[in-house]
Amino acid sequence: MSDELPTPTGVRPGGPDSGAEHELLDLVEENIEQATLWGEAWKTLRRNPMFLIGGVIAVLMTLIAVFPSLFAGGVDPRDCDLTDARQWPSAAHWFGTDLQGCDYYANVIHGARISLSIGLLSVVGTMVLAVILGTLAGYFGGLTDSLLSRFTDIFYGVPLLLGAMILLTVTEERSVFTVSLALSIFGWMTAMRLVRSSVITVKNADFVAAAQALAATTRQILTRHIMPNAISPVVSFMTIAMGGFIASEATLTFLGIGLQAPEISWGLQINVGQSRFSSAPYLVFFPALFLSLTVMAFMLMGDALRDALDPDRN
Amino acid sequence: MIRYIGRRLLMALPVLLGTSFLIFAMVYALPGDPIRALAGDQPLPPEVIAQLRAEHNLDDPLLLQYLKYLAQLFQGNLGTDFAGNPVSETIALRLPITARLAIVAIIFEIIFGITAGVLCALYKNSWFDNLVLVSTTMVVSVPVFVLAFLAQWLLGFQLGWFPVAGIANGWFSLILPGLVLAALSMAYVARLTRTSMAETLGADHVRTARSKGISELRVVTRHGLRNALIPVVTFIGADLGAMMGGAIVTESVFNIPGIGRAVFDAVRNQEGPVVVGIVTMMVFFFIFFNLVVDVLYGVLDPRIRYE
C-alpha cells in the first residue's frame, strides 16, 4: 500500500542474499506488509484481557465442537436409562440427567457442534452475499449502486428473526443447513453496507489506479486489489455477528421454529427444560450457561478486534 | 427541509413495496400449503379447499396475486385471516398493547441507560464504571429468551414482585417484559452515553463553562448532557422502530397478546394475509421512525443542514 519499500534488514528470514528472484522478493515483501498490519493488531490484542478471555472460551468451545466425545468422556448422549431420569448433578452425572435419563453433561457437550456449525455457516453465507453485493455496489456506483442499495434496504427492514421464522415455516425443512441459510438471507445487510463503504474508500487508492494503468481487467482489480483490502473492516463485525447468529439459532429453536428433536441443540434443551424448571433448574442452567459463554466469547473478541483494527474510532 | 422529507418519503415507497412483495412471495410462492396448514390433521373436502383457494386468490400467478392484494391494500383493506376476521381488526386490537410495552421499554432505556452512562462518564474507571462495563457485556451476551426466562423465574416466581405472564394487571404486568425487551438496548444506550458524554465533557465549551464558575451540576446537565445526548436520541428513536421485531420473542415468552405474538402465531399457522399485513406495517414504522430521527437530528444539532 505504501510507496516506500519495507526495510528488509533483520526481517528477511535466512536472507536470500545473492540473485534473489523478483518473485521471491515480492513474496517476502507481501509477507512483511501482512505481518506489520496484523502484527500491530496482535500486539494490541494480546494485551487486552477481554480478547484473551473471549479467545480462550472460543478455542475451548471449538475444540468441544470438533471432538465432543473426547470431552464427554466417551459417554453417548443418546445412551439413556429411563430409571435414571431427572437426577440432580452428581459425581456420576456432572450435569445430572434429563427427562429421558440421558447424561446431561454429554448432551450439553454435544450441543456445541450445532451452535458453532450454524454460526460459522451463517457467517460464511453472510460474507459471500455481503462481499459480492457490497463490492459491486461500491465499485461500479451509479445505477448499480442505487439498485443494490435499495435491494439491501428492502431486506434491512425485515427483522432477522422474523424473516428466518417465515422462511423456515414455509419451507418446512429444518436442518443445520436450512437454518444457516435462513439466517444468512436475512442477516447480510449491515455487512454489505460496511463492504460497500470500504470499497468506495479503497477504489480511489493509488494502487487501484496503478492496476488500471497496467491494463488489469475489472475482474482482476476487484478480486486481487479491492476485495482483500476492503474486507478487514468487516472482520470484527463478522466476529460479533457469529455470536449473534448462534443466539438467533438458539432463539428460533427455543420457539419451536429451528431445529427439531433428534438433533442435540442448546435451544432445544432449554425449551424442554423450562417446563421442569422448579424441580430441575439445572436442565435450563447448563445449556444456557454454555450458550451465553459462547455468544459472549465472540462478542468480546469482536469488540477487541474492532478497537485493534480500527484505532480511529477511539 | 420539506423537500428533504419529501425525497425521503419518495425513496421509502419502493422499499416498502419491495419488502411487502418479499414477504408476500415467501408466504405464497414457497412449497408450504397454507390451506393444508389451516386444515391441520383433518383433511378438508376438495370443494371447501377449492373455495378457500379461490377466496384467497391462491390459484393466480404470484405477481397477479400480489397486485390484487395491493389493490385491496390501497382501498384500506388488509384482507382477512382464515377464520374470516379482518386483519386490520387484529392490528387495531393488538397494536396498542405492543405500543404500551414499547413505551415501558423506552422509559427503562432512558432512565437506566442514560443515568448509568452519565455516571460512568463522570466517574471513569471507578468501580461503578467497571460494574456497568461487565454487566452490559453480560446482558449483550445472554440471549433475550434466556434473559426473559431468568427474569420470569427470579423476579416473578421466586420473589413474586411482578406477574409472571399475561396482561391481567394492566401496566404493572408490562414492567417485567418491558425490562427484558429494553435490556439489550439499555446496554447499548449506557455505553453510547458514556462515550459521547466523556467526549463532550472534554470539549472546549465545557472547560469554558467551568472556568466561568458555573456550578458543576449546571455544567454537566446544560453544557454536557444536552450535546452528548444527540447520538443517544438517534439510537433510541431508531430502536423504537425496531421494537416490534424485538417484541416477537418477548411477547411469546411472556404470553402478551400484542403484535409480536400475533405475527408469531400467524407465521406458525401460515396465515398469509396476517403475516404480510403485519410485517408491512412493521417495516412502515421502522422506516417512519428512522425518518423522524433524521429530521430530529437537525433540530437537536443546528450544525446539520439538509441541502
Side-chain angles (χ1 to χ4, degrees):
Chain A
M1 264 175 265
S2 59
D3 298 317
E4 53 183 311
L5 288 168
T7 46
T9 32
V11 190
R12 192 177 290 181
D17 22 42
S18 65
E21 271 155 289
H22 271 286
E23 215 171 304
L24 186 62
L25 245 176
D26 285 349
L27 201 72
V28 173
E29 269 171 31
E30 211 169 276
N31 284 343
I32 293 169
E33 182 71 23
Q34 290 256 319
T36 47
L37 178 77
W38 287 94
E40 285 303 307
W42 174 238
K43 265 185 214 163
T44 326
L45 285 176
R46 78 182 166 199
R47 272 184 285 114
N48 185 338
M50 293 296 187
F51 180 80
L52 293 180
I53 296 173
V56 167
I57 300 175
V59 168
L60 188 67
M61 287 297 172
T62 311
L63 286 176
I64 291 178
V66 178
F67 309 106
S69 23
L70 198 73
F71 284 86
V75 178
D76 184 353
R78 295 201 171 99
D79 178 23
C80 316
D81 183 357
L82 263 177
T83 50
D84 278 348
R86 270 199 287 151
Q87 284 185 358
W88 273 72
S90 63
H93 302 288
W94 290 359
F95 291 180
T97 58
D98 69 6
L99 304 179
Q100 274 81 43
C102 316
D103 180 55
Y104 211 47
Y105 173 69
N107 267 281
V108 173
I109 287 292
H110 277 81
R113 181 173 282 181
I114 292 246
S115 280
L116 288 189
S117 313
I118 289 184
L120 198 64
L121 276 174
S122 310
V123 164
V124 171
T126 305
M127 278 295 267
V128 170
L129 283 169
V131 168
I132 292 176
L133 297 176
T135 309
L136 291 178
Y139 186 74
F140 290 110
L143 186 65
T144 317
D145 185 24
S146 300
L147 286 177
L148 287 175
S149 293
R150 289 299 82 72
F151 182 70
T152 309
D153 288 347
I154 288 173
F155 278 82
Y156 197 75
V158 184
L160 170 66
L161 279 178
L162 184 59
M165 217 179 248
I166 298 175
L167 199 59
L168 286 171
T169 309
V170 290
T171 51
E172 289 177 347
E173 200 197 307
R174 323 274 176 78
S175 63
V176 170
F177 181 73
T178 49
V179 172
S180 310
L181 193 69
L183 288 175
S184 304
I185 288 176
F186 289 97
W188 54 274
M189 293 75 73
T190 309
M192 180 275 187
R193 288 179 176 178
L194 283 172
V195 175
R196 174 181 168 272
S197 64
S198 92
V199 166
I200 289 174
T201 322
V202 171
K203 79 170 173 187
N204 294 319
D206 289 343
F207 64 86
V208 175
Q212 279 162 343
L214 289 171
T217 62
T218 306
R219 188 198 173 92
Q220 278 172 331
I221 293 176
L222 284 180
T223 54
R224 299 283 299 276
H225 300 277
I226 292 197
M227 278 188 192
N229 288 297
I231 279 180
S232 79
V234 194
V235 170
S236 62
F237 173 78
M238 289 321 294
T239 314
I240 298 177
M242 172 107 181
F245 284 133
I246 290 175
S248 303
E249 179 272 322
T251 309
L252 284 173
T253 303
F254 173 78
L255 290 174
I257 294 175
L259 297 169
Q260 278 155 343
E263 300 274 16
I264 298 177
S265 145
W266 292 331
L268 221 50
Q269 289 163 1
I270 298 173
N271 185 5
V272 174
Q274 63 163 346
S275 55
R276 302 299 169 94
F277 193 74
S278 44
S279 62
Y282 58 89
L283 289 178
V284 169
F285 176 76
F286 289 115
L289 180 73
F290 271 62
L291 173 63
S292 305
L293 280 178
T294 311
V295 176
M296 187 177 75
F298 288 103
M299 301 255 174
L300 286 176
M301 287 201 322
D303 259 355
L305 265 172
R306 188 185 54 205
D307 293 347
L309 287 173
D310 193 9
D312 304 345
R313 277 177 63 109
N314 287 1
Chain B
M1 178 72 106
I2 302 282
R3 273 191 58 183
Y4 173 78
I5 297 177
R7 214 184 61 218
R8 283 286 302 264
L9 283 176
L10 221 61
M11 267 166 69
L13 198 64
V15 173
L16 206 57
L17 282 177
T19 313
S20 73
F21 182 66
L22 172 73
I23 303 295
F24 195 88
M26 270 206 294
V27 172
Y28 289 103
L30 288 169
D33 185 348
I35 300 296
R36 209 188 68 218
L38 163 76
D41 294 333
Q42 284 178 330
L44 284 175
E47 312 82 77
V48 178
I49 292 183
Q51 197 208 334
L52 277 170
R53 289 192 75 88
E55 224 169 84
H56 295 280
N57 302 323
L58 289 177
D59 294 318
D60 293 335
L62 180 69
L63 201 62
L64 188 63
Q65 280 186 45
Y66 180 64
L67 290 176
K68 279 185 179 172
Y69 174 79
L70 269 191
Q72 289 293 313
L73 188 70
F74 281 117
Q75 293 165 32
N77 181 3
L78 282 169
T80 58
D81 61 20
F82 290 137
N85 303 314
V87 175
S88 50
E89 215 164 80
T90 310
I91 292 180
L93 204 69
R94 306 289 194 103
L95 191 59
I97 299 172
T98 302
R100 261 179 245 144
L101 184 63
I103 290 172
V104 173
I106 292 288
I107 291 174
F108 273 121
E109 278 177 33
I110 292 173
I111 294 178
F112 290 108
I114 294 181
T115 311
V118 169
L119 288 176
C120 284
L122 286 178
Y123 306 102
K124 247 184 163 173
N125 297 323
S126 63
W127 64 269
F128 182 77
D129 189 17
N130 287 320
L131 179 78
V132 170
L133 181 71
V134 171
S135 53
T136 48
T137 306
M138 273 162 56
V139 164
V140 170
S141 306
V142 179
V144 174
F145 74 97
V146 176
L147 217 56
F149 190 70
L150 273 178
Q152 249 179 348
W153 179 74
L154 185 70
L155 300 174
F157 197 71
Q158 286 301 99
L159 298 171
W161 290 354
F162 302 103
V164 176
I167 52 160
N169 300 5
W171 286 89
F172 185 60
S173 41
L174 292 178
I175 290 181
L176 214 48
L179 185 65
V180 170
L181 182 60
L184 197 66
S185 305
M186 217 153 67
Y188 284 124
V189 167
R191 287 197 178 181
L192 195 60
T193 311
R194 179 186 183 273
T195 315
S196 164
M197 188 72 181
E199 206 179 285
T200 315
L201 286 179
D204 289 345
H205 74 271
V206 172
R207 193 189 51 202
T208 309
R210 281 214 176 97
S211 68
K212 284 195 294 187
I214 295 172
S215 75
E216 184 63 22
L217 183 72
R218 203 176 152 83
V219 170
V220 170
T221 52
R222 300 299 289 273
H223 296 261
L225 202 56
R226 219 195 127 183
N227 285 295
L229 280 186
I230 293 171
V232 181
V233 170
T234 319
F235 176 85
I236 293 181
D239 193 48
L240 194 61
M243 211 157 249
M244 275 193 284
I248 297 174
V249 177
T250 317
E251 291 184 350
S252 300
V253 177
F254 284 97
N255 198 16
I256 290 169
I259 214 80
R261 176 85 212 186
V263 77
F264 176 70
D265 290 341
V267 169
R268 300 206 67 170
N269 301 333
Q270 299 197 28
E271 291 199 84
V274 188
V275 176
V276 178
I278 293 182
V279 177
T280 307
M281 184 197 65
M282 280 181 172
V283 177
F284 171 78
F285 276 112
F286 183 76
I287 294 175
F288 175 76
F289 278 112
N290 276 292
L291 178 61
V292 170
V293 161
D294 283 348
V295 172
L296 208 63
Y297 214 82
V299 177
L300 288 172
D301 188 347
R303 282 169 300 186
I304 293 166
R305 293 260 178 277
Y306 306 104
E307 79 270 31

